[in-house]
Amino acid sequence: SDVCSSDLNGNGSLYGLDSSIKTRLNLQQGDFDYIAPLFRPSRHWDVHYRVGGRILNVYSDSTQSNALAYQHSSNNMFGGGPHAYIEGSRRVERIPGLAAFFGLDGAVIVGNINQNFNATEYLPQGQVMGSSSQFKVMSVPQLVFQTGLSFTPKRAPFTKYSIGYQLEQIWDLGQVNGSSVTLGDMGVFFRGQIDF
């Protein structure tokens, strides 16, 4: 399972005046997989894969405000679908337990997309408010690439520690009536793993 949360604050322009902008992102992901036995196509290489299902929830919103107006929009996608991961690793013979690896993870999530929009204008006569929402059921493709180094201690072969680089892309998170939300991330990761 994965949990990710991020907040971002900045400045912009709204109706010609400086405004504050706050954006939030929350991602929750869980997998239920069958892990296939390890396959060794050659002396130095190991290959393993897993297949199963994934549940994904991604919520994002943005707020912009100043003395004249307030605007808020949110997008929430929740669903599930098939998932598969394949990883190849090459063992470093001179350092037992150390290996270089690369992995590719893919999923197609089918679920609900809910969007909400709210706006308020502060006029001399009073406040003017409006809101709207829209909903759609659709499929969302997801792709993750990882590469790095892993280490399995000789005295604890059921554990594995990995460090590497990850590149992830999730398309069509908010493709509703002209709206568009696409999520991409990249960076260094560290992972501890226990097999049982």
Side-chain angles (χ1 to χ4, degrees):
S1 63
D2 294 319
V3 177
C4 175
S5 181
S6 176
D7 291 350
L8 179 65
N9 295 296
N11 297 300
S13 177
L14 182 62
Y15 294 115
L17 294 180
D18 291 338
S19 63
S20 62
I21 302 174
K22 182 176 182 179
T23 303
R24 299 181 297 177
L25 170 69
N26 187 276
L27 183 148
Q28 300 166 334
Q29 174 180 293
D31 296 336
F32 304 90
D33 293 338
Y34 163 75
I35 302 176
L38 183 67
F39 171 61
R40 290 185 169 170
S42 68
R43 177 184 172 187
H44 300 291
W45 285 91
D46 295 336
V47 176
H48 81 270
Y49 70 91
R50 60 180 187 262
V51 294
R54 170 168 293 169
I55 296 175
L56 179 68
N57 183 63
V58 182
Y59 174 83
S60 62
D61 73 348
S62 180
T63 301
Q64 186 172 8
S65 62
N66 59 19
L68 293 181
Y70 168 88
Q71 295 181 351
H72 177 263
S73 62
S74 66
N75 185 91
N76 189 71
M77 189 279 170
F78 176 78
H83 150 74
Y85 175 80
I86 186 169
E87 179 181 292
S89 59
R90 189 182 193 284
R91 296 187 302 279
V92 179
E93 295 295 327
R94 295 185 178 182
I95 306 177
L98 184 67
F101 74 92
F102 64 91
L104 189 63
D105 183 303
V108 177
I109 309 299
V110 179
N112 303 326
I113 296 176
N114 292 284
Q115 294 180 340
N116 294 286
F117 308 92
N118 300 282
T120 301
E121 293 186 8
Y122 306 110
L123 303 176
Q125 300 86 353
Q127 297 182 1
V128 178
M129 296 180 290
S131 64
S132 65
S133 61
Q134 51 188 14
F135 167 86
K136 188 175 183 180
V137 177
M138 64 179 299
S139 60
V140 173
Q142 179 183 17
L143 194 63
V144 184
F145 172 76
Q146 294 181 341
T147 185
L149 296 172
S150 65
F151 180 72
T152 301
K154 187 176 181 180
R155 295 184 179 181
F158 52 88
T159 65
K160 183 165 73 171
Y161 304 94
S162 304
I163 187 170
Y165 177 81
Q166 173 175 298
L167 177 63
E168 179 178 14
Q169 190 78 18
I170 309 177
W171 292 269
D172 300 336
L173 280 170
Q175 206 75 19
V176 184
N177 297 328
S179 298
S180 178
V181 178
T182 298
L183 174 63
D185 68 83
M186 64 182 72
V188 176
F189 71 90
F190 176 78
R191 179 174 62 228
Q193 177 178 324
I194 300 176
D195 297 327
F196 57 90

